[in-house]
Amino acid sequence: MNIDIKLHIDDLPDHLVISDNIAVDCEFMGLNVERDPLCLVQISTGKNDAHIIKLNRDTYEATNLKKVLKNKEINKIFHYARADLQFIKKYLKIDVENINCTKVMSKLARSYSDKHGLKDLIKEFTGNDISKNLQSSDFGGELSDKQLQYCAKDVIYLHKIYDCLNKILIREKREKLYQNAIKFIHSRVELDLASFTSDIWSH
Ligand code: MN
């Protein structure tokens, strides 16, 4: 399968018409938001395409990208939005609007499984086996073809997964539960950034 990959330096191009339903993923230098900068943001419109934006890590100026992420009319599908949003908030200094998270959806919809990783969801809903070998690779420098393919694969299946999970949530009458749970995402991210990383509801 050939993915239409477009690498953009610093920002999305001007006048690019993007869909009102996009999948979003990010790559960082590591998992520690205080230490490891945000490197890439990937966007797919669900048509086997991937816009990969290599951010300017000195300025983090990306006006067009920020406009898309802040746009309330554009639905964004993340997988584990909690991590991506921490890095976006810290480095791009914006609040993303209209967020969905396939990991949270999966936990509520797929109570028959304890596997909610992206690889597991891609396998279950599309039958594809993707390799996560390049997950821990250096996204800070020149990107290899393999890295670009890897980054693209993290976003191209999300629309399909979102649709399948949504159907289960509706069928199992857990849609409202999900809608209310996902509203907490902004608070969850703020708690993480304030170092309250454990479950504040637990005893
Ligand atoms: Mn990724």
Side-chain angles (χ1 to χ4, degrees):
M1 182 183 49
N2 247 342
I3 312 168
D4 176 18
I5 297 177
K6 293 204 168 61
L7 177 64
H8 307 293
I9 305 302
D10 297 348
D11 195 3
L12 282 170
D14 294 338
H15 316 299
L16 177 81
V17 182
I18 207 119
S19 121
D20 59 2
N21 186 26
I22 58 173
V24 187
D25 185 44
C26 302
E27 304 300 333
F28 340 114
M29 276 307 286
L31 294 174
N32 182 330
V33 69
E34 293 302 326
R35 179 191 64 193
D36 303 318
L38 171 65
C39 298
L40 311 175
V41 176
Q42 306 100 273
I43 289 178
S44 176
T45 69
K47 297 195 169 75
N48 214 34
D49 60 338
H51 295 276
I52 301 176
I53 302 115
K54 188 177 160 89
L55 296 161
N56 180 327
R57 291 201 269 143
D58 292 321
T59 65
Y60 282 107
E61 263 173 42
T63 315
N64 297 330
L65 171 65
K66 289 177 190 178
K67 219 181 269 175
V68 167
L69 294 175
K70 287 192 291 187
N71 189 334
K72 290 188 169 80
E73 308 299 316
I74 302 176
N75 180 46
K76 286 112 195 157
I77 310 166
F78 287 84
H79 181 80
Y80 201 45
R82 179 178 175 181
D84 293 319
L85 294 179
Q86 279 182 57
F87 284 80
I88 290 174
K89 198 171 166 74
K90 171 149 172 104
Y91 293 98
L92 297 182
K93 298 189 166 49
I94 56 162
D95 285 314
V96 181
E97 298 289 348
N98 201 345
I99 297 154
N100 280 286
C101 175
T102 51
K103 192 165 194 131
V104 174
M105 291 175 90
S106 177
K107 286 184 179 179
L108 293 176
R110 296 170 64 256
S111 38
Y112 53 83
S113 172
D114 59 357
K115 290 195 164 63
H116 304 286
L118 181 60
K119 189 180 161 64
D120 304 303
L121 298 182
I122 291 173
K123 180 77 189 154
E124 178 164 329
F125 295 118
T126 78
N128 287 292
D129 244 319
I130 65 149
S131 157
K132 293 296 276 181
N133 285 348
L134 289 171
Q135 186 166 37
S136 354
S137 73
D138 177 8
F139 288 107
E142 283 292 315
L143 299 163
S144 69
D145 256 4
K146 281 197 168 141
Q147 281 179 309
L148 292 173
Q149 292 282 332
Y150 166 82
C151 295
K153 282 181 184 160
D154 270 359
V155 280
I156 58 167
Y157 300 112
L158 287 177
H159 288 77
K160 177 81 202 274
I161 292 169
Y162 172 86
D163 288 342
C164 293
L165 290 170
N166 211 26
K167 277 187 192 134
I168 302 178
L169 287 170
I170 292 167
R171 191 190 71 206
E172 299 304 318
K173 301 187 173 55
R174 295 177 189 169
E175 196 201 5
K176 187 83 188 151
L177 191 59
Y178 167 70
Q179 292 301 342
N180 287 332
I182 196 66
K183 284 183 197 156
F184 185 66
I185 186 75
H186 292 290
S187 301
R188 183 58 274 175
V189 168
E190 278 174 29
L191 286 163
D192 283 333
L193 290 171
S195 298
F196 292 97
T197 51
S198 66
D199 177 6
I200 56 163
W201 304 102
S202 68
H203 182 55

